[in-house]
């Protein structure tokens, strides 16, 4: 298919978006099944936190270099290689599970590999949107991407919970592998232009190491963008610390009830879909920074704090919906600011460093979340524990209460940051 006959512009974006919806649905089902499998194997929050740690850490460390490589390369090719690597990682996990050899440490290694290649996907896709669409469409396009992420989870948890008893985790992961073909096929079908060289791009041209560092200089020379990233860095610290414990908290407080766990995840997915639809129809506030800061404030209050305070399914459903609803507004507003302010041919470098700054503390948060819960807060919130007298009236006592208290504190900290 020649360049002239391939979809371009918004049509191309819709094709890519549809492929991502199918792929993300499969991935969400696999993540749901593996989360339950890992918790049943260990019974500890630490194991789940470590999976997240090994996934995020390569993204933080490699983001500046990955961004520089994206700027030097074909955006579409980078996205395809990332999807292919994610599919191969799932195949490895599936093979180990099907042969009875899967162990928890295998998930740490595959998470690190998937995180490494995911590092290229985000700056490549972000830069591709800038090249495909006019500025006035950035907010809506980013809202649709947030919608795709949420839509992948709206049925995935309940569907995965139902399919676990029919085809098992092996069957679910097989569906996931097939779904990657849709994402790669969509990218093959469309045309994504390469950026023209800007003055910033000419000044940034150097060896790979120097180009990797360019994003730091670009952001440090613009105090408003730096301030925006620092807000994300600190808010992500508390968000990562609290929400890493969400799955084990729910499983602990409900006796590993898969239906409740799936229902809460689905409520979050519905919230994300509604938020994504609102953002894609609305495009966000004219002053996009209000979408960022206002969204973070309500996320911390109605998401994190309410999640920890809740002790029943109705409250968890509301908190899950609220937390996910404000996510698309925060992320799409922020993304539109950066896409409008940064030249397309250096976006890979700048966006790579952007991610590094925003997520720098996130791996630390994920690393300490499990031990903080398992060794400190959970024992302290058992009946007669050292914190039970002071906070038992707030979050209750027993299994999961310590993790709930951490969520309350983290939600309030996000409110204070914004």
């Amino acid at each position: 298919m020649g360049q002239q006959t391939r979809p371009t512009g918004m049509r191309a974006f819709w094709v890519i978006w549809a492929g991502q919806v199918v792929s993300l649905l499969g991935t969400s089902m696999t993540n749901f099944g593996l989360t339950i499998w890992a918790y049943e194997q260990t019974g500890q929050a630490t194991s789940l936190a470590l999976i997240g740690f090994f996934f995020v850490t390569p993204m933080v460390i490699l983001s500046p270099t990955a961004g520089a490589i994206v700027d030097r390369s074909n955006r579409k090719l980078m996205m395809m290689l990332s999807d292919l690597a994610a599919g191969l990682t799932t195949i490895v996990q599936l093979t180990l599970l099907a042969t009875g050899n899967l162990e928890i440490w295998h998930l740490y290694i595959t998470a690190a590999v998937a995180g490494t290649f995911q590092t290229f996907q985000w700056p490549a896709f972000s830069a591709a949107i800038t090249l495909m669409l006019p500025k006035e469409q950035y907010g809506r396009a980013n809202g649709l991407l947030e919608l795709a992420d949420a839509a992948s989870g709206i049925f995935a948890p309940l569907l995965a919970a139902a399919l676990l008893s029919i085809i098992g985790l092996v069957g679910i992961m097989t569906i996931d592998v097939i779904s990657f073909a849709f994402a790669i096929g969509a990218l093959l079908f469309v045309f994504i232009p390469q950026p023209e060289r800007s003055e910033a791009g000419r000044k940034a041209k150097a060896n790979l190491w120097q180009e990797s560092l360019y994003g730091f200089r670009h952001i440090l020379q613009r105090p408003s963008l730096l301030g925006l990233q620092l807000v994300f860095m600190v808010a992500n610290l508390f968000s990562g610390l609290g929400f890493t414990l969400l799955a084990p908290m729910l499983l602990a407080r409900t006796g590993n009830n898969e239906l409740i766990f799936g229902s809460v995840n689905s409520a979050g997915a519905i919230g994300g879909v509604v938020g994504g639809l609102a953002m894609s129809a609305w495009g966000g506030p004219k002053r996009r920074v209000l979408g960022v800061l206002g969204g973070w404030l309500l996320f911390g209050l109605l998401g994190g704090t309410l999640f920890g305070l809740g002790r029943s399914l109705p409250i968890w459903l509301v908190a899950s919906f609220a937390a996910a609803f404000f996510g698309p507004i925060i992320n799409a507003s922020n993304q539109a600011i950066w896409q409008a302010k940064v030249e397309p041919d250096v976006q890979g470098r700048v966006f790579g460093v952007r991610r590094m700054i925003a997520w720098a503390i996130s791996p630390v948060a994920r690393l300490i979340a499990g031990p903080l819960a398992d060794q400190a807060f959970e024992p302290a919130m058992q009946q007669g524990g050292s914190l039970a007298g002071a906070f038992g009236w707030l979050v209750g006592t027993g299994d999961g209460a310590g993790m709930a208290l951490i969520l309350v504190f983290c939600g309030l900290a996000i409110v204070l940051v914004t």
Side-chain angles (χ1 to χ4, degrees):
M1 183 181 293
Q3 172 184 329
Q4 292 77 13
T5 57
R6 292 179 180 176
T8 59
M10 200 64 190
R11 286 179 58 214
F13 175 81
W14 278 111
V15 173
I16 297 172
W17 183 84
Q20 290 296 313
V21 168
V22 175
S23 177
L24 287 169
L25 176 63
T27 300
S28 297
M29 290 171 60
T30 290
N31 290 341
F32 178 87
L34 284 176
T35 296
I36 293 176
W37 180 88
Y39 193 74
E40 287 177 345
Q41 296 297 309
T42 65
Q44 292 188 332
T46 300
S47 59
L48 299 184
L50 282 173
I51 295 172
F53 168 79
F54 283 108
F55 181 75
V56 171
T57 300
M59 299 172 105
V60 173
I61 296 173
L62 299 175
S63 279
T65 303
I69 292 173
V70 165
D71 280 340
R72 289 178 165 207
S73 308
N74 183 288
R75 268 67 167 166
K76 185 166 81 169
L77 179 61
M78 289 290 100
M79 294 162 63
M80 290 172 61
L81 289 175
S82 179
D83 283 331
L84 180 60
L88 291 175
T89 300
T90 304
I91 290 173
V92 170
Q93 294 172 335
L94 172 59
T95 303
L96 290 169
L97 179 67
T99 57
N101 294 314
L102 184 65
E103 298 182 22
I104 193 70
W105 64 269
H106 291 140
L107 298 185
Y108 303 155
I109 295 175
T110 52
V113 173
T116 297
F117 284 93
Q118 182 65 26
T119 306
F120 295 87
Q121 171 88 352
W122 182 74
F125 202 175
S126 299
I129 290 172
T130 309
L131 297 168
M132 288 190 292
L133 303 176
K135 282 185 179 181
E136 57 270 19
Q137 295 293 337
Y138 291 169
R140 289 185 172 86
N142 289 309
L144 283 167
L145 290 179
E146 296 292 327
L147 173 62
D149 193 39
S152 69
I154 193 167
F155 295 117
L158 292 177
L159 188 58
L163 289 176
L164 278 172
S165 60
I166 302 173
I167 60 176
L169 186 53
V170 170
I172 288 174
M173 294 178 74
T174 301
I175 294 173
D176 186 17
V177 172
I178 296 171
S179 74
F180 282 107
F182 285 87
I184 296 173
L187 287 167
L188 283 170
F189 186 66
V190 303
F191 172 71
I192 299 175
Q194 286 293 98
E196 296 180 2
R197 181 62 58 87
S198 69
E199 182 62 26
R202 282 189 286 271
K203 289 180 178 179
K205 188 169 178 58
N207 60 46
L208 184 60
W209 170 249
Q210 291 172 321
E211 289 186 9
S212 299
L213 297 177
Y214 171 79
F216 289 102
R217 297 199 306 273
H218 190 98
I219 294 172
L220 289 172
Q221 290 167 1
R222 293 157 177 82
S224 295
L225 293 181
L226 176 62
L228 194 61
Q229 280 313 99
L230 292 178
V231 169
F232 267 80
M233 183 178 74
V234 182
N236 281 341
L237 165 65
F238 293 110
S239 177
L241 183 62
F243 280 82
T244 294
L245 301 173
L246 181 58
M249 184 203 76
L250 291 171
L251 292 170
R253 302 206 97 169
T254 61
N256 289 351
N257 190 306
E258 295 175 4
L259 183 59
I260 290 178
F261 182 45
S263 298
V264 173
N265 280 342
S266 291
I270 293 170
V273 167
V274 175
L277 283 171
M279 191 65 193
S280 49
W282 170 36
K286 288 187 177 180
R287 289 193 63 194
R288 288 175 173 140
V289 71
L290 297 180
V292 176
L293 297 179
W296 268 122
L297 183 89
L298 294 169
F299 172 88
L301 189 62
L302 299 178
T305 300
L306 188 60
F307 245 130
L309 294 176
R311 304 187 211 179
S312 62
L313 180 59
I315 296 178
W316 290 331
L317 293 176
V318 172
S320 185
F321 179 93
F325 175 84
F326 291 108
I329 296 173
I330 296 167
N331 293 327
S333 297
N334 185 56
Q335 185 76 335
I337 291 172
W338 288 85
Q339 286 171 325
K341 297 295 183 183
V342 180
E343 293 83 352
D345 58 332
V346 296
Q347 282 187 5
R349 277 161 280 193
V350 175
F351 286 10
V353 170
R354 216 183 108 196
R355 168 169 277 181
M356 185 179 192
I357 294 172
W359 287 17
I361 303 181
S362 185
V364 179
R366 293 173 184 271
L367 195 60
I368 66 174
L372 185 67
D374 293 332
Q375 307 301 325
F377 276 75
E378 279 294 294
M381 288 302 293
Q382 296 297 317
Q383 190 70 36
S386 59
L387 295 178
F391 297 105
W393 64 274
L394 189 66
V395 296
T397 58
D399 291 345
M403 291 182 277
L405 186 59
I406 293 173
L407 267 165
V408 171
F409 289 157
C410 289
L412 292 175
I414 291 172
V415 171
L416 291 175
V417 167
T418 52

